[in-house]
Amino acid sequence: MTTSIQAELPVPEQAAEPPRRRARRSVQEQADRGILSTADRRRPQVRIVGTILSVALGVCLVAVGLLPLLWLLKSAITPTQDTLAHPLALFPGGAAWSNLARAWNDVQIGKYFFNTIWMAAGEWAVQLLVATTGGFALSVLKPRYGRIISGLVLATLFVPAVVLLVPLYLTVLHPPLIGHSLINTFWAVWLPAGASAFNVLLVMRFFDSLPKEVFEAAKTDGAGTFRLFWSVVLPMSKPILGVVSVFAINAAWADFLWPNLVLKDIGIQPLSVRLPQIQSSTDLGVYLAALTIATLIPVVIFLIFQRTFLRGGGLGGAVKG
């Protein structure tokens, strides 16, 4: 009887594995799922070969990314004859620093440079205003037909930009309620730039990830809509504002087609429009110096905002969910 009772008793299960050991074992299993296991990485031969391959790959990536820019910088201060005869040589006849001065003064790159800054600053301000207010209205205020409006904004992303050129040009040529054309004014570039559905949706998704408890507490304390937007939402949205700023400034700096259509006056044209027009009548060295000036500005802007642009909380929070 005793033997049969003992046989019917359930066998005690093993003690549960501690959470810390279980987490460590999970990390170890994930590490072993790669091409090389942890044991293989510890071998001297594998470590040496892996280091050499990593360094070689890094050098190749840096060379592919920087060599064209470095060649442009070198050619900007190289005489035209040396650039044509020895394009890859390093200053065979000395440096021509006068190319930069001639590009800035004689070709009047300085004037077109400031035109580009003015145009990019206006596009940045309009895009930031429309994106933040539109994202705030759709995400925080949540109107009754907010989902329908969001769907319509999303649908505009599927319309090719080329299809909108003719109606947009006619609208700028004969704008409603204004009575005079916006051609040859920066408003013809600034206002259409604000109609960016991508920026509105990007900011809206970021606002969706913000804690709603903060909004409710601000409303309880008596904060109105404008106070909620200016004092609560915007200070919490610096990462996404940096992302939108980089997108807007780079797009404005490289835009050619639309400014070429609406800015016919040479005195207000940006670099992207004016540089192709002066290519045939400008010395090659001076022209490359002008290209260098136009290229370095977006690079400097990215270097300034790279921490904000590459931060995981900015773009990652915007597309989460």
Side-chain angles (χ1 to χ4, degrees):
M1 177 66 68
T2 305
T3 305
S4 61
I5 293 176
Q6 291 179 352
E8 294 178 358
L9 292 177
V11 179
E13 298 181 356
Q14 297 180 352
E17 188 177 6
R20 184 176 300 178
R21 183 181 302 175
R22 184 166 58 252
R24 186 164 53 249
R25 182 168 58 83
S26 176
V27 172
Q28 183 69 23
E29 291 177 353
Q30 293 179 1
D32 291 339
R33 291 176 182 175
I35 299 177
L36 298 175
S37 64
T38 305
D40 291 334
R41 294 193 189 95
R42 293 173 181 172
R43 296 169 57 186
Q45 299 87 349
V46 176
R47 188 185 303 119
I48 293 174
V49 174
T51 303
I52 294 175
L53 291 177
S54 299
V55 172
L57 181 59
V59 171
C60 291
L61 292 176
V62 171
V64 171
L66 290 182
L67 279 182
L69 182 60
L70 294 177
W71 184 88
L72 180 61
L73 294 176
K74 189 269 299 183
S75 301
I77 55 177
T78 302
T80 302
Q81 296 79 6
D82 294 341
T83 301
L84 294 175
H86 308 284
L88 299 180
L90 189 61
F91 306 116
W97 294 97
S98 60
N99 288 345
L100 296 174
R102 291 176 58 190
W104 187 266
N105 298 318
D106 298 347
V107 189
Q108 296 183 338
I109 291 299
K111 179 176 69 174
Y112 307 123
F113 170 78
F114 287 110
N115 288 342
T116 308
I117 291 181
W118 183 239
M119 186 186 73
E123 290 192 32
W124 166 78
V126 173
Q127 289 189 47
L128 210 62
L129 176 64
V130 175
T132 52
T133 53
F136 175 78
L138 295 176
S139 175
V140 180
L141 299 183
K142 294 185 180 302
R144 179 177 301 178
Y145 303 104
R147 291 184 178 273
I148 299 177
I149 297 176
S150 300
L152 294 176
V153 173
L154 179 61
T156 60
L157 293 177
F158 298 93
V159 181
V162 180
V163 178
L164 303 176
L165 282 180
V166 174
L168 186 59
Y169 182 83
L170 294 177
T171 303
V172 172
L173 184 62
H174 303 289
L177 304 178
I178 297 180
H180 59 85
S181 174
L182 297 179
I183 300 296
N184 285 328
T185 65
F186 284 112
W187 289 105
V189 182
W190 292 344
L191 295 180
S196 176
F198 176 78
N199 288 339
V200 173
L201 295 176
L202 192 66
V203 175
M204 183 187 71
R205 296 295 301 215
F206 183 87
F207 288 170
D208 288 340
S209 66
L210 296 179
K212 301 300 184 293
E213 295 80 6
V214 179
F215 304 155
E216 297 298 333
K219 293 178 181 178
T220 304
D221 292 340
T225 301
F226 178 78
R227 182 69 178 221
L228 178 65
F229 171 73
W230 184 260
S231 301
V232 179
V233 176
L234 287 186
M236 300 171 63
S237 306
K238 292 181 180 179
I240 197 62
L241 297 182
V243 172
V244 174
S245 299
V246 172
F247 285 160
I249 294 175
N250 282 340
W253 203 271
D255 193 11
F256 167 76
L257 181 58
W258 183 248
N260 189 37
L261 291 176
V262 298
L263 300 179
K264 300 297 184 179
D265 187 2
I266 297 178
I268 61 174
Q269 287 180 345
L271 284 172
S272 60
V273 176
R274 190 58 185 160
L275 284 178
Q277 298 177 0
I278 66 174
Q279 180 180 2
S280 59
S281 60
T282 307
D283 182 72
L284 179 61
V286 178
Y287 182 71
L288 292 176
L291 288 179
T292 301
I293 296 174
T295 304
L296 284 180
I297 303 302
V299 175
V300 172
I301 291 175
F302 177 79
L303 292 177
I304 294 175
F305 291 99
Q306 64 175 338
R307 187 179 299 274
T308 301
F309 182 69
L310 298 177
R311 188 181 302 168
L315 192 59
V319 299
K320 182 170 64 176

